[in-house]
Structure formats: C-alpha cells, structure tokens
Amino acid sequence: MTKQDMLDEIFENLKSEILADEAQSDILSENLLKAKIKSAYREVVLARHYPSYYTEIMIESDMTNYFANVESLARYDYNSVGSEGLSSYSSDGTSIHYKDRDKLFYGVYPIAR
C-alpha cells in the first residue's frame, strides 16, 4: 500500500463515518479532513524517528502498520476543530471530556533516537 492509497482509504473511511451522522454531514469539510489526515500521517512518521538510511518505500511499507493510529489521530483532530486546547467542557448540564490525544500514539515507538 502506498502512502497515497493509505491516505485515500482513511479519507473514505472517515468521510463515510461523518456522512452517516446527519448533524455532521451538513458541515463536512473535505479539505479540512484531508489536511487533518496528512498531518496525522506526518506526526506518526515523526514519532517513528526513521533513520536517515530508510528510503521512502521502506517508510511507506512500515507505516501500513500504523494505519489505525493515523486514522484515529485524524478523526480526533477533525472532531476537535474549534475546541483545541480543551480537556473538558461543561454547559447547561452537558459535560464533554476529551481523551488524551497522546494515547492515540499507543504502539508507535521510535526506531532510532
């Protein structure tokens, strides 16, 4: 799976999830979703700390193991647009508690330091 195949599949998965929710389907921003997916991919690549001798093909191959991490990060980032920096929110009897974003990197370990 190439990088672009991975990004496209994640986009289609998340887009389907968003469109299945009537409240969110009206405000879907495909450009914003694509940006969040690319950003999540780059963050996982940075977290892996690939050695300089790793080729782009080697990185793409390894990154397929982190498909779920990239998808989860992109979902989290897209859903938290407008509430960046908040850990919880409460108003009129409704409380929202955001999970720790760093926990979405579970299983992503650096190769080199």
Side-chain angles (χ1 to χ4, degrees):
M1 172 182 286
T2 67
K3 173 185 174 182
Q4 194 57 50
D5 290 340
M6 183 177 176
L7 298 179
D8 290 342
E9 186 174 342
I10 292 170
F11 174 75
E12 290 303 322
N13 291 348
L14 295 179
K15 182 179 172 184
S16 295
E17 285 180 23
I18 294 166
L19 292 176
D21 181 354
E22 286 185 38
Q24 287 189 25
S25 65
D26 293 341
I27 57 171
L28 169 66
S29 171
E30 291 188 8
N31 289 335
L32 179 59
L33 182 58
K34 286 178 182 180
K36 296 299 182 183
I37 294 167
K38 287 179 185 176
S39 177
Y41 184 91
R42 282 191 294 270
E43 284 189 71
V44 174
V45 167
L46 287 173
R48 290 287 287 154
H49 293 283
Y50 291 105
S52 59
Y53 63 85
Y54 260 56
T55 65
E56 195 62 37
I57 293 170
M58 292 168 73
I59 293 171
E60 282 184 6
S61 176
D62 182 63
M63 282 296 293
T64 60
N65 298 317
Y66 302 100
F67 183 99
N69 298 90
V70 173
E71 186 174 55
S72 295
L73 283 163
R75 179 184 299 110
Y76 181 94
D77 290 346
Y78 183 81
N79 287 333
S80 65
V81 168
S83 62
E84 292 88 348
L86 292 179
S87 60
S88 65
Y89 172 81
S90 183
S91 176
D92 298 327
T94 302
S95 293
I96 300 172
H97 298 279
Y98 300 97
K99 70 169 89 172
D100 183 7
R101 186 177 183 274
D102 291 339
K103 290 183 179 180
L104 299 174
F105 284 93
Y106 179 77
V108 179
Y109 301 107
I111 292 177
R113 293 188 186 244

